[in-house]
Structure formats: C-alpha cells, structure tokens
Amino acid sequence: MEEEWTPKITLFCCNWCSYAGSDDAGVGRKQQPPSTRTIRVMCSGRTDPGFVLTALMEGSDAVLFTGCHIGDCHYISGNYKAKKRFEMLKEILDEIGLEDERLQLQWISASEGSEFAEYIRKVTEEIKAIGPSPLRQEWMK
Amino acid sequence: MNIGDRIVAWSKDEEIKKEGASGGLVTSLLTAALKGELVDEVIALQKVSEFEGVPIRTSNVDEVIKCSGSLHAAPINLTKFAVRFFEAHPDGTLALPAKPCDARGIIEQAKRKKINLEKTYLIGLNCGGTMPPITTMKMLEKMYEINPDDVIEEEIERGKLIFKTEKEEKAISIDELEEAGYGRRENCRYCETNIPVMTDVACGNWGAGKNETFVEIFTEKGLKLMNNAIELGLIETAPATEKGIKIREKTNSVMEKVAKKWHKKIFVPIEDRLERFHYYMDVMEDCIDCEACKYVCPVCACDESKCIDFYDPMDSHKISIYHLVRLLHISDSCIGCGQCTDVCPAEIPLTILHRRMADRIQAKYDYIPGMDMKIPPSFEVE
C-alpha cells in the first residue's frame, strides 16, 4: 500500500510566544497534521539564515519562522531582525528557484493556540499542493 | 585650489614623467605623500611584466617610483591589502591609487570599521576596464599578431586598445575585440562606475593632453595631497580647458551607455523557476570548496566567517551552504569587482551569480554600495 506523501516542515519557534502557542494548541486538543519538526529558539532573532539554508539543504520541504508580534519581543528588537533576515532569505530562495511558499513568517503569540493549529494546517496543505522541494529531490539522487 | 576644482597636472621629474602614464602624476602624488610625511606607507602595484603586477606596501620612495606605469592586464583589488595595513597599524596613515572598485571596496570596509577612511588617502584612477592576463596574451597572438613578450606599453584611448612594441604600434577597437571574446574582463564591461567620485582626487587621461593628467578634487584630503606635492615642487598644474572637461564628461557618458548595453546582454533574466534552479545547481556543482573567493572578496569583512560555519566539505550538496550564505551575506555590499571569478579554480562565473542576487537586493533597499559613508549598510536593522 502506498502511503500518502506528507511534507517535512521545519518550524522555528520562539521560546516566549510561539512555543507556548504550540503548547496551547496541544493542551486545547486542536487538530493539526504531524508534518512539523519543531526547533525551539530563545528568540526569533536567533534564527540564523544558516539554520534555514541547512534545513532546506538537508531535506526540509519548507521552513517556518514564528515569533512574537512586532513590538512584543521579549528582547525588544529580536523580531525586527528576524523580519529583515526573512526578507533577504526570501529573495535568495526565489533567486535559486525555490517556491514562495517554502519559507514563511508568522507572528503567533502564546495565547493563540487555535491560530497556531490553523496555520500549520494551512501551510501543510500548501506544501502538499506544490510537492517535495527540488533541493530534496536533488539530494536523493 | 579649491574642492571641486578641475585641473590638469603632470610630474616635474623627467624620469617619472617618462616611465609613468599620462605625465606620471599619480606616482608623483604618492612619492610626495611619503616625502612630505603625509602618510606612513603607500600601496602600489609593482610591475613584473606587462601582464603581471604584485602589490607592495612600502615607505621607500625609490620603490614607489619603480611602480610607475599603468597595468591594464593585472586586475588586482587593493582593498584587502589596505585592511591588512590597518590590522598591523591601527593608527597609521596610508595612501594608495584606487580604481573605482578598489575605492568602493575600501568604503564598504570602512563602514564595517576595518579601515580608517580619515587616515586613508585615495588617489582615484579613472577606469575604463581591466583585462584578464592570460586572455590578453592569447589575444595578442591572435588578433594583434605580436609576441606578448615584446610588448613594452599598452594604452586605452578613444575606445581603442593600443599595444606598442619596439618596432610597431597596433590599435584595434575594444568593441571588435569583445565581439571576438577578448578585451576587457566581463565584469568591467558592465561596470557603470568609471570616474571614482568617492575618492579624494580622481585622476585620468580623459580630457587631458599628451603627458598630462586630468584631476578633479573631491575632498579636503585630496586638496592636502595636491598642495603637498606642489609645495615639494614635484608636480606642476594648470587649469583644465573647457574642451577637456567636455571630452571627459562625454567619454564617461559613452562608457556608461556601453556598460548598460552589456548589462542587458549578460544578465538575461531566467523567468522559469525550475530552469533557474537547474542553472544554479549546474554552475555551482563544480565548486571544490577552496574558499578562495572569500579570501579575495574586497567587501567580505567578517572576523569569524558565517559562511564556513554551517557547511562541511563532506556534505556533497550540489550547491553548498557556503555559497548560499555568501550569496546572501554579500548581496548588500557586492560591488561587482570580479575578483571571485578571477581566482576560481573551477571557473564558476561567481561574479555573475553574486550580481544577479545583489541587483535584486540593492534595488529593493535602494542601496548602492561603496559610494559614500552617509548610508549605513542595508543589512543594518533600524
């Protein structure tokens, strides 16, 4: 029996909001597909472009940045840095020919469990629609 | 003399005048800066042959004089040599001749606190392009039919490349050479910065007579440099003619137009996403992870490099993370100097890849690197 393909999504969660948000989604028993591999970082500003590129090179179909809403950063300006990095990364991934959906940024606070689950559902559907990452296919050869 | 003045100048020293190009002004300015104790050291390009030059850092006037003469076929960027100088002497002063890409590299390094621009005298050189040495030798044999070893002088004048031997002098237009695949380096063809307006003084033979150099003074430092040389009696000056100024402006605008044409020709956008993906995979596949492109890059200013933190040569990815991080990291400051393509042992067209990325980022953030100190690097978060 052929199993249905599920994407592998690397999810960077900020310790102070989105990680608690994903916890909230679990506690509230919000249904979400098991497609994400969560990595907890102390701040979304800790997400180095190198992490994102490594994740994509090693076979992630998509990478998600999540963090506190602008203005709510525990370290004052970490998410501004994340936003700038995200913008630059978006450009380079587009330049080397990866789809727009493979890198996404979403601000999720600690209390937004249902939003979190909904967001994961939405992204998983999007990635399923565009298929496995060409980088991963390249890697499997 | 004032800031903004346009003059013609030449060396008083007969020997320098004979050896140096266009009246030997740059050599005289460098020697004057050393003699007048304006600077501690000077960086200059020592001639090995017509196709090879070695950068030297010296405080010896005689060695500087030996460096006179133009070398169009020795494409070296002096930025990293200036960085090494300030690493060794944080309070030192330095003077160096700088073509636009040297000057832009130095300004980008100064923004990243690697060079003290207030203590660096930049003698700008107008630049119509440099040539790759090996290709030039082949070109001499094929197009000019002269032995490369016989060449004693080369010059670019009115869109023509002139080579002189003891017996003869041959000129072929640059357009014709470039059609045949020779001529200037690829990145020079589409470079739009010909007059180094970011330096202290810009020197060049556009708009000047024979054995004269056209000089435009941009800064206080440039004024000091000129006055010092005049006081020491090493150079002579005269105001520039109206005609000369017009010729210079016209040459510049013609060069800019040609560069824009080349830019369009070289950077054909690849619309299809998957095609773009395979293009990058195919060219980057040859990389042998030697990191030479990082060492020569004039705008790379990391102490501990991010680009080598995440990759392992054993990864065997078709496109290495090293290049991806570098593409990203250099995208705001890439000046398109072409050093990475020059040194690449696997002959990857790195400059084109970097410029493809940099054009996007620099247009997005409306940032042109290396033009002035006013705008901080676009990576900075406000």
Side-chain angles (χ1 to χ4, degrees), chain B residues 245-284:
Chain B
I245 294 171
K246 260 189 197 144
I247 290 175
R248 182 169 177 262
E249 266 160 19
K250 209 185 159 208
T251 316
N252 188 30
S253 67
V254 168
M255 297 289 278
E256 265 173 26
K257 253 184 221 157
V258 174
K260 279 197 182 117
K261 233 191 242 164
W262 271 108
H263 192 279
K264 248 190 201 157
K265 207 168 160 185
I266 292 170
F267 293 91
V268 184
I270 309 169
E271 298 291 351
D272 186 59
R273 196 176 280 280
L274 210 60
E275 209 175 295
R276 209 155 61 222
F277 178 76
H278 286 299
Y279 168 74
Y280 273 89
M281 292 301 136
D282 289 347
V283 288
M284 287 294 201

mmCIF file of all heavy atoms in Angstrom, chain B residues 245-284:
data_model
loop_
_atom_site.group_PDB
_atom_site.id
_atom_site.type_symbol
_atom_site.label_atom_id
_atom_site.label_comp_id
_atom_site.label_asym_id
_atom_site.label_seq_id
_atom_site.Cartn_x
_atom_site.Cartn_y
_atom_site.Cartn_z
ATOM 1 N N ILE B 245 37.110 69.362 -20.193
ATOM 2 C CA ILE B 245 36.025 68.969 -19.275
ATOM 3 C C ILE B 245 34.902 68.299 -20.058
ATOM 4 O O ILE B 245 34.355 67.276 -19.656
ATOM 5 C CB ILE B 245 35.506 70.205 -18.502
ATOM 6 C CG1 ILE B 245 36.605 70.724 -17.568
ATOM 7 C CG2 ILE B 245 34.257 69.860 -17.695
ATOM 8 C CD1 ILE B 245 36.307 72.047 -16.913
ATOM 9 N N LYS B 246 34.602 68.873 -21.217
ATOM 10 C CA LYS B 246 33.519 68.321 -22.049
ATOM 11 C C LYS B 246 33.884 66.934 -22.561
ATOM 12 O O LYS B 246 33.061 66.020 -22.543
ATOM 13 C CB LYS B 246 33.245 69.264 -23.229
ATOM 14 C CG LYS B 246 32.051 70.128 -22.948
ATOM 15 C CD LYS B 246 31.634 70.904 -24.159
ATOM 16 C CE LYS B 246 30.731 72.040 -23.711
ATOM 17 N NZ LYS B 246 30.934 73.251 -24.506
ATOM 18 N N ILE B 247 35.137 66.783 -22.995
ATOM 19 C CA ILE B 247 35.576 65.475 -23.516
ATOM 20 C C ILE B 247 35.468 64.421 -22.421
ATOM 21 O O ILE B 247 34.979 63.317 -22.649
ATOM 22 C CB ILE B 247 37.040 65.564 -24.032
ATOM 23 C CG1 ILE B 247 37.092 66.400 -25.314
ATOM 24 C CG2 ILE B 247 37.614 64.177 -24.302
ATOM 25 C CD1 ILE B 247 38.481 66.665 -25.840
ATOM 26 N N ARG B 248 35.887 64.805 -21.201
ATOM 27 C CA ARG B 248 35.852 63.863 -20.085
ATOM 28 C C ARG B 248 34.421 63.428 -19.793
ATOM 29 O O ARG B 248 34.130 62.247 -19.622
ATOM 30 C CB ARG B 248 36.464 64.532 -18.864
ATOM 31 C CG ARG B 248 36.547 63.662 -17.623
ATOM 32 C CD ARG B 248 37.405 64.387 -16.611
ATOM 33 N NE ARG B 248 37.514 63.702 -15.341
ATOM 34 C CZ ARG B 248 36.778 63.993 -14.282
ATOM 35 N NH1 ARG B 248 35.843 64.916 -14.358
ATOM 36 N NH2 ARG B 248 36.982 63.352 -13.156
ATOM 37 N N GLU B 249 33.514 64.415 -19.761
ATOM 38 C CA GLU B 249 32.125 64.082 -19.481
ATOM 39 C C GLU B 249 31.529 63.198 -20.559
ATOM 40 O O GLU B 249 30.775 62.269 -20.289
ATOM 41 C CB GLU B 249 31.293 65.360 -19.330
ATOM 42 C CG GLU B 249 31.201 65.772 -17.874
ATOM 43 C CD GLU B 249 30.839 67.229 -17.703
ATOM 44 O OE1 GLU B 249 30.311 67.834 -18.661
ATOM 45 O OE2 GLU B 249 31.099 67.765 -16.612
ATOM 46 N N LYS B 250 31.905 63.505 -21.800
ATOM 47 C CA LYS B 250 31.365 62.730 -22.912
ATOM 48 C C LYS B 250 31.880 61.292 -22.865
ATOM 49 O O LYS B 250 31.113 60.335 -23.017
ATOM 50 C CB LYS B 250 31.736 63.393 -24.237
ATOM 51 C CG LYS B 250 30.691 63.089 -25.274
ATOM 52 C CD LYS B 250 31.014 63.602 -26.636
ATOM 53 C CE LYS B 250 30.186 62.789 -27.624
ATOM 54 N NZ LYS B 250 30.844 62.721 -28.908
ATOM 55 N N THR B 251 33.185 61.149 -22.608
ATOM 56 C CA THR B 251 33.763 59.794 -22.521
ATOM 57 C C THR B 251 33.047 59.001 -21.451
ATOM 58 O O THR B 251 32.670 57.854 -21.654
ATOM 59 C CB THR B 251 35.267 59.882 -22.158
ATOM 60 O OG1 THR B 251 35.860 60.910 -22.939
ATOM 61 C CG2 THR B 251 35.974 58.581 -22.424
ATOM 62 N N ASN B 252 32.824 59.647 -20.315
ATOM 63 C CA ASN B 252 32.153 58.976 -19.206
ATOM 64 C C ASN B 252 30.757 58.516 -19.593
ATOM 65 O O ASN B 252 30.363 57.383 -19.344
ATOM 66 C CB ASN B 252 32.104 59.924 -17.997
ATOM 67 C CG ASN B 252 31.600 59.225 -16.751
ATOM 68 O OD1 ASN B 252 31.809 58.034 -16.596
ATOM 69 N ND2 ASN B 252 30.939 59.964 -15.887
ATOM 70 N N SER B 253 30.000 59.415 -20.247
ATOM 71 C CA SER B 253 28.619 59.054 -20.575
ATOM 72 C C SER B 253 28.582 57.960 -21.641
ATOM 73 O O SER B 253 27.721 57.085 -21.613
ATOM 74 C CB SER B 253 27.810 60.282 -21.009
ATOM 75 O OG SER B 253 28.295 60.767 -22.216
ATOM 76 N N VAL B 254 29.553 57.992 -22.572
ATOM 77 C CA VAL B 254 29.610 56.931 -23.587
ATOM 78 C C VAL B 254 29.893 55.589 -22.927
ATOM 79 O O VAL B 254 29.240 54.579 -23.205
ATOM 80 C CB VAL B 254 30.683 57.260 -24.652
ATOM 81 C CG1 VAL B 254 30.973 56.049 -25.528
ATOM 82 C CG2 VAL B 254 30.244 58.424 -25.519
ATOM 83 N N MET B 255 30.864 55.600 -21.985
ATOM 84 C CA MET B 255 31.214 54.363 -21.285
ATOM 85 C C MET B 255 30.016 53.809 -20.515
ATOM 86 O O MET B 255 29.777 52.608 -20.476
ATOM 87 C CB MET B 255 32.360 54.604 -20.297
ATOM 88 C CG MET B 255 33.655 55.028 -20.913
ATOM 89 S SD MET B 255 34.471 53.734 -21.813
ATOM 90 C CE MET B 255 35.289 52.864 -20.534
ATOM 91 N N GLU B 256 29.271 54.728 -19.883
ATOM 92 C CA GLU B 256 28.097 54.299 -19.113
ATOM 93 C C GLU B 256 27.061 53.636 -20.015
ATOM 94 O O GLU B 256 26.462 52.629 -19.654
ATOM 95 C CB GLU B 256 27.469 55.498 -18.406
ATOM 96 C CG GLU B 256 27.962 55.646 -16.988
ATOM 97 C CD GLU B 256 27.472 56.916 -16.329
ATOM 98 O OE1 GLU B 256 26.408 57.434 -16.729
ATOM 99 O OE2 GLU B 256 28.165 57.404 -15.428
ATOM 100 N N LYS B 257 26.882 54.222 -21.190
ATOM 101 C CA LYS B 257 25.897 53.675 -22.129
ATOM 102 C C LYS B 257 26.305 52.279 -22.573
ATOM 103 O O LYS B 257 25.485 51.360 -22.623
ATOM 104 C CB LYS B 257 25.798 54.602 -23.343
ATOM 105 C CG LYS B 257 24.505 55.391 -23.351
ATOM 106 C CD LYS B 257 24.415 56.209 -24.604
ATOM 107 C CE LYS B 257 23.856 57.583 -24.296
ATOM 108 N NZ LYS B 257 24.224 58.579 -25.302
ATOM 109 N N VAL B 258 27.594 52.122 -22.891
ATOM 110 C CA VAL B 258 28.105 50.810 -23.326
ATOM 111 C C VAL B 258 27.910 49.791 -22.204
ATOM 112 O O VAL B 258 27.478 48.657 -22.432
ATOM 113 C CB VAL B 258 29.601 50.917 -23.718
ATOM 114 C CG1 VAL B 258 30.165 49.546 -24.021
ATOM 115 C CG2 VAL B 258 29.761 51.836 -24.913
ATOM 116 N N ALA B 259 28.189 50.238 -20.961
ATOM 117 C CA ALA B 259 28.061 49.339 -19.807
ATOM 118 C C ALA B 259 26.619 48.871 -19.655
ATOM 119 O O ALA B 259 26.356 47.701 -19.391
ATOM 120 C CB ALA B 259 28.530 50.046 -18.542
ATOM 121 N N LYS B 260 25.673 49.796 -19.833
ATOM 122 C CA LYS B 260 24.255 49.432 -19.696
ATOM 123 C C LYS B 260 23.858 48.399 -20.736
ATOM 124 O O LYS B 260 23.103 47.478 -20.467
ATOM 125 C CB LYS B 260 23.390 50.686 -19.825
ATOM 126 C CG LYS B 260 23.359 51.447 -18.519
ATOM 127 C CD LYS B 260 22.228 52.446 -18.465
ATOM 128 C CE LYS B 260 22.297 53.207 -17.151
ATOM 129 N NZ LYS B 260 22.539 54.635 -17.323
ATOM 130 N N LYS B 261 24.405 48.575 -21.941
ATOM 131 C CA LYS B 261 24.112 47.627 -23.016
ATOM 132 C C LYS B 261 24.626 46.238 -22.647
ATOM 133 O O LYS B 261 23.931 45.244 -22.809
ATOM 134 C CB LYS B 261 24.807 48.120 -24.296
ATOM 135 C CG LYS B 261 23.857 48.234 -25.478
ATOM 136 C CD LYS B 261 24.649 48.447 -26.744
ATOM 137 C CE LYS B 261 24.330 49.761 -27.395
ATOM 138 N NZ LYS B 261 25.346 50.153 -28.384
ATOM 139 N N TRP B 262 25.860 46.202 -22.146
ATOM 140 C CA TRP B 262 26.446 44.916 -21.753
ATOM 141 C C TRP B 262 25.654 44.283 -20.622
ATOM 142 O O TRP B 262 25.472 43.073 -20.577
ATOM 143 C CB TRP B 262 27.904 45.096 -21.315
ATOM 144 C CG TRP B 262 28.852 44.987 -22.454
ATOM 145 C CD1 TRP B 262 29.564 45.996 -23.031
ATOM 146 C CD2 TRP B 262 29.217 43.796 -23.172
ATOM 147 N NE1 TRP B 262 30.331 45.514 -24.052
ATOM 148 C CE2 TRP B 262 30.144 44.176 -24.161
ATOM 149 C CE3 TRP B 262 28.843 42.458 -23.072
ATOM 150 C CZ2 TRP B 262 30.705 43.247 -25.042
ATOM 151 C CZ3 TRP B 262 29.392 41.548 -23.946
ATOM 152 C CH2 TRP B 262 30.315 41.945 -24.916
ATOM 153 N N HIS B 263 25.206 45.126 -19.696
ATOM 154 C CA HIS B 263 24.458 44.605 -18.555
ATOM 155 C C HIS B 263 23.216 43.859 -19.034
ATOM 156 O O HIS B 263 22.903 42.769 -18.577
ATOM 157 C CB HIS B 263 24.066 45.754 -17.622
ATOM 158 C CG HIS B 263 23.551 45.302 -16.299
ATOM 159 N ND1 HIS B 263 22.249 44.885 -16.128
ATOM 160 C CD2 HIS B 263 24.148 45.165 -15.090
ATOM 161 C CE1 HIS B 263 22.079 44.527 -14.868
ATOM 162 N NE2 HIS B 263 23.215 44.682 -14.221
ATOM 163 N N LYS B 264 22.540 44.469 -20.001
ATOM 164 C CA LYS B 264 21.337 43.851 -20.560
ATOM 165 C C LYS B 264 21.669 42.535 -21.251
ATOM 166 O O LYS B 264 20.926 41.571 -21.184
ATOM 167 C CB LYS B 264 20.702 44.816 -21.567
ATOM 168 C CG LYS B 264 19.382 45.332 -21.072
ATOM 169 C CD LYS B 264 18.666 46.069 -22.163
ATOM 170 C CE LYS B 264 17.639 47.001 -21.563
ATOM 171 N NZ LYS B 264 17.307 48.084 -22.468
ATOM 172 N N LYS B 265 22.814 42.544 -21.921
ATOM 173 C CA LYS B 265 23.202 41.380 -22.710
ATOM 174 C C LYS B 265 23.599 40.206 -21.803
ATOM 175 O O LYS B 265 23.286 39.056 -22.091
ATOM 176 C CB LYS B 265 24.404 41.786 -23.575
ATOM 177 C CG LYS B 265 24.530 40.989 -24.853
ATOM 178 C CD LYS B 265 25.566 41.682 -25.743
ATOM 179 C CE LYS B 265 26.112 40.771 -26.791
ATOM 180 N NZ LYS B 265 27.185 41.431 -27.544
ATOM 181 N N ILE B 266 24.300 40.520 -20.719
ATOM 182 C CA ILE B 266 24.818 39.456 -19.852
ATOM 183 C C ILE B 266 23.753 38.939 -18.892
ATOM 184 O O ILE B 266 23.621 37.744 -18.689
ATOM 185 C CB ILE B 266 26.071 39.956 -19.096
ATOM 186 C CG1 ILE B 266 27.216 40.174 -20.095
ATOM 187 C CG2 ILE B 266 26.505 38.952 -18.027
ATOM 188 C CD1 ILE B 266 28.410 40.874 -19.524
ATOM 189 N N PHE B 267 22.993 39.858 -18.314
ATOM 190 C CA PHE B 267 22.014 39.445 -17.302
ATOM 191 C C PHE B 267 20.646 39.224 -17.921
ATOM 192 O O PHE B 267 19.731 40.008 -17.718
ATOM 193 C CB PHE B 267 21.938 40.473 -16.182
ATOM 194 C CG PHE B 267 23.196 40.533 -15.379
ATOM 195 C CD1 PHE B 267 24.207 41.409 -15.732
ATOM 196 C CD2 PHE B 267 23.386 39.693 -14.313
ATOM 197 C CE1 PHE B 267 25.385 41.450 -15.020
ATOM 198 C CE2 PHE B 267 24.563 39.731 -13.592
ATOM 199 C CZ PHE B 267 25.560 40.612 -13.940
ATOM 200 N N VAL B 268 20.527 38.154 -18.671
ATOM 201 C CA VAL B 268 19.228 37.811 -19.230
ATOM 202 C C VAL B 268 18.435 37.140 -18.120
ATOM 203 O O VAL B 268 18.883 36.147 -17.549
ATOM 204 C CB VAL B 268 19.392 36.836 -20.411
ATOM 205 C CG1 VAL B 268 18.059 36.551 -21.057
ATOM 206 C CG2 VAL B 268 20.386 37.390 -21.415
ATOM 207 N N PRO B 269 17.282 37.711 -17.757
ATOM 208 C CA PRO B 269 16.535 37.085 -16.654
ATOM 209 C C PRO B 269 16.052 35.686 -17.041
ATOM 210 O O PRO B 269 15.628 35.462 -18.173
ATOM 211 C CB PRO B 269 15.368 38.040 -16.415
ATOM 212 C CG PRO B 269 15.330 38.954 -17.566
ATOM 213 C CD PRO B 269 16.626 38.907 -18.277
ATOM 214 N N ILE B 270 16.166 34.749 -16.095
ATOM 215 C CA ILE B 270 15.644 33.399 -16.325
ATOM 216 C C ILE B 270 14.277 33.360 -15.669
ATOM 217 O O ILE B 270 14.154 33.364 -14.447
ATOM 218 C CB ILE B 270 16.586 32.339 -15.705
ATOM 219 C CG1 ILE B 270 18.023 32.587 -16.168
ATOM 220 C CG2 ILE B 270 16.137 30.939 -16.085
ATOM 221 C CD1 ILE B 270 19.060 31.774 -15.419
ATOM 222 N N GLU B 271 13.230 33.368 -16.499
ATOM 223 C CA GLU B 271 11.880 33.522 -15.954
ATOM 224 C C GLU B 271 11.401 32.253 -15.254
ATOM 225 O O GLU B 271 10.827 32.298 -14.175
ATOM 226 C CB GLU B 271 10.894 33.907 -17.073
ATOM 227 C CG GLU B 271 11.199 35.230 -17.760
ATOM 228 C CD GLU B 271 10.961 36.431 -16.857
ATOM 229 O OE1 GLU B 271 10.398 36.247 -15.754
ATOM 230 O OE2 GLU B 271 11.351 37.546 -17.243
ATOM 231 N N ASP B 272 11.661 31.112 -15.871
ATOM 232 C CA ASP B 272 11.117 29.873 -15.319
ATOM 233 C C ASP B 272 11.846 29.472 -14.041
ATOM 234 O O ASP B 272 13.071 29.439 -13.985
ATOM 235 C CB ASP B 272 11.234 28.759 -16.354
ATOM 236 C CG ASP B 272 10.548 27.497 -15.876
ATOM 237 O OD1 ASP B 272 9.334 27.568 -15.612
ATOM 238 O OD2 ASP B 272 11.226 26.469 -15.725
ATOM 239 N N ARG B 273 11.059 29.164 -13.018
ATOM 240 C CA ARG B 273 11.611 28.875 -11.704
ATOM 241 C C ARG B 273 12.515 27.636 -11.702
ATOM 242 O O ARG B 273 13.628 27.650 -11.177
ATOM 243 C CB ARG B 273 10.445 28.653 -10.739
ATOM 244 C CG ARG B 273 10.808 28.723 -9.291
ATOM 245 C CD ARG B 273 9.558 28.585 -8.458
ATOM 246 N NE ARG B 273 8.805 29.806 -8.369
ATOM 247 C CZ ARG B 273 9.126 30.803 -7.543
ATOM 248 N NH1 ARG B 273 10.151 30.707 -6.766
ATOM 249 N NH2 ARG B 273 8.408 31.890 -7.508
ATOM 250 N N LEU B 274 12.053 26.588 -12.327
ATOM 251 C CA LEU B 274 12.807 25.335 -12.308
ATOM 252 C C LEU B 274 14.080 25.453 -13.148
ATOM 253 O O LEU B 274 15.130 24.906 -12.796
ATOM 254 C CB LEU B 274 11.928 24.194 -12.838
ATOM 255 C CG LEU B 274 12.249 22.826 -12.246
ATOM 256 C CD1 LEU B 274 12.065 22.829 -10.739
ATOM 257 C CD2 LEU B 274 11.369 21.760 -12.880
ATOM 258 N N GLU B 275 13.970 26.223 -14.213
ATOM 259 C CA GLU B 275 15.147 26.464 -15.059
ATOM 260 C C GLU B 275 16.214 27.206 -14.260
ATOM 261 O O GLU B 275 17.402 26.917 -14.355
ATOM 262 C CB GLU B 275 14.706 27.316 -16.247
ATOM 263 C CG GLU B 275 15.519 27.109 -17.503
ATOM 264 C CD GLU B 275 14.921 27.900 -18.639
ATOM 265 O OE1 GLU B 275 13.778 27.603 -19.056
ATOM 266 O OE2 GLU B 275 15.592 28.842 -19.081
ATOM 267 N N ARG B 276 15.736 28.176 -13.471
ATOM 268 C CA ARG B 276 16.640 28.949 -12.625
ATOM 269 C C ARG B 276 17.314 28.027 -11.610
ATOM 270 O O ARG B 276 18.508 28.093 -11.375
ATOM 271 C CB ARG B 276 15.844 30.033 -11.910
ATOM 272 C CG ARG B 276 16.627 31.255 -11.590
ATOM 273 C CD ARG B 276 15.753 32.460 -11.451
ATOM 274 N NE ARG B 276 14.776 32.366 -10.387
ATOM 275 C CZ ARG B 276 13.515 32.761 -10.491
ATOM 276 N NH1 ARG B 276 13.096 33.302 -11.614
ATOM 277 N NH2 ARG B 276 12.685 32.659 -9.490
ATOM 278 N N PHE B 277 16.530 27.145 -11.037
ATOM 279 C CA PHE B 277 17.051 26.188 -10.059
ATOM 280 C C PHE B 277 18.153 25.334 -10.676
ATOM 281 O O PHE B 277 19.246 25.196 -10.116
ATOM 282 C CB PHE B 277 15.894 25.299 -9.573
ATOM 283 C CG PHE B 277 16.311 24.245 -8.592
ATOM 284 C CD1 PHE B 277 16.571 24.577 -7.284
ATOM 285 C CD2 PHE B 277 16.460 22.931 -8.995
ATOM 286 C CE1 PHE B 277 16.967 23.612 -6.372
ATOM 287 C CE2 PHE B 277 16.855 21.962 -8.093
ATOM 288 C CZ PHE B 277 17.110 22.301 -6.785
ATOM 289 N N HIS B 278 17.901 24.814 -11.870
ATOM 290 C CA HIS B 278 18.904 23.955 -12.505
ATOM 291 C C HIS B 278 20.125 24.744 -12.953
ATOM 292 O O HIS B 278 21.243 24.232 -12.938
ATOM 293 C CB HIS B 278 18.276 23.193 -13.675
ATOM 294 C CG HIS B 278 17.386 22.098 -13.188
ATOM 295 N ND1 HIS B 278 17.857 21.058 -12.419
ATOM 296 C CD2 HIS B 278 16.039 21.914 -13.285
ATOM 297 C CE1 HIS B 278 16.850 20.264 -12.099
ATOM 298 N NE2 HIS B 278 15.738 20.768 -12.590
ATOM 299 N N TYR B 279 19.896 26.013 -13.323
ATOM 300 C CA TYR B 279 21.039 26.864 -13.684
ATOM 301 C C TYR B 279 22.004 26.985 -12.508
ATOM 302 O O TYR B 279 23.201 26.763 -12.642
ATOM 303 C CB TYR B 279 20.543 28.252 -14.118
ATOM 304 C CG TYR B 279 21.623 29.298 -14.235
ATOM 305 C CD1 TYR B 279 22.513 29.271 -15.303
ATOM 306 C CD2 TYR B 279 21.768 30.303 -13.279
ATOM 307 C CE1 TYR B 279 23.516 30.214 -15.422
ATOM 308 C CE2 TYR B 279 22.764 31.246 -13.383
ATOM 309 C CZ TYR B 279 23.628 31.206 -14.451
ATOM 310 O OH TYR B 279 24.623 32.150 -14.552
ATOM 311 N N TYR B 280 21.470 27.292 -11.324
ATOM 312 C CA TYR B 280 22.329 27.431 -10.145
ATOM 313 C C TYR B 280 22.988 26.109 -9.770
ATOM 314 O O TYR B 280 24.159 26.061 -9.437
ATOM 315 C CB TYR B 280 21.525 27.980 -8.953
ATOM 316 C CG TYR B 280 21.482 29.488 -8.954
ATOM 317 C CD1 TYR B 280 20.490 30.170 -9.630
ATOM 318 C CD2 TYR B 280 22.460 30.219 -8.308
ATOM 319 C CE1 TYR B 280 20.464 31.550 -9.666
ATOM 320 C CE2 TYR B 280 22.440 31.600 -8.327
ATOM 321 C CZ TYR B 280 21.441 32.258 -9.011
ATOM 322 O OH TYR B 280 21.430 33.615 -9.039
ATOM 323 N N MET B 281 22.210 25.010 -9.833
ATOM 324 C CA MET B 281 22.762 23.703 -9.480
ATOM 325 C C MET B 281 23.902 23.336 -10.424
ATOM 326 O O MET B 281 24.937 22.834 -10.006
ATOM 327 C CB MET B 281 21.678 22.628 -9.561
ATOM 328 C CG MET B 281 20.619 22.765 -8.513
ATOM 329 S SD MET B 281 21.294 22.697 -6.863
ATOM 330 C CE MET B 281 20.420 24.034 -6.104
ATOM 331 N N ASP B 282 23.704 23.598 -11.699
ATOM 332 C CA ASP B 282 24.707 23.187 -12.687
ATOM 333 C C ASP B 282 26.010 23.949 -12.545
ATOM 334 O O ASP B 282 27.082 23.372 -12.634
ATOM 335 C CB ASP B 282 24.159 23.353 -14.115
ATOM 336 C CG ASP B 282 23.087 22.317 -14.413
ATOM 337 O OD1 ASP B 282 22.974 21.362 -13.629
ATOM 338 O OD2 ASP B 282 22.368 22.479 -15.415
ATOM 339 N N VAL B 283 25.919 25.276 -12.343
ATOM 340 C CA VAL B 283 27.178 26.040 -12.272
ATOM 341 C C VAL B 283 27.900 25.818 -10.949
ATOM 342 O O VAL B 283 29.120 25.782 -10.905
ATOM 343 C CB VAL B 283 27.027 27.553 -12.525
ATOM 344 C CG1 VAL B 283 26.749 27.825 -13.972
ATOM 345 C CG2 VAL B 283 25.987 28.179 -11.645
ATOM 346 N N MET B 284 27.125 25.630 -9.877
ATOM 347 C CA MET B 284 27.754 25.515 -8.562
ATOM 348 C C MET B 284 28.303 24.114 -8.288
ATOM 349 O O MET B 284 29.061 23.904 -7.363
ATOM 350 C CB MET B 284 26.744 25.876 -7.468
ATOM 351 C CG MET B 284 26.438 27.337 -7.394
ATOM 352 S SD MET B 284 27.848 28.303 -6.880
ATOM 353 C CE MET B 284 27.039 29.768 -6.313
#
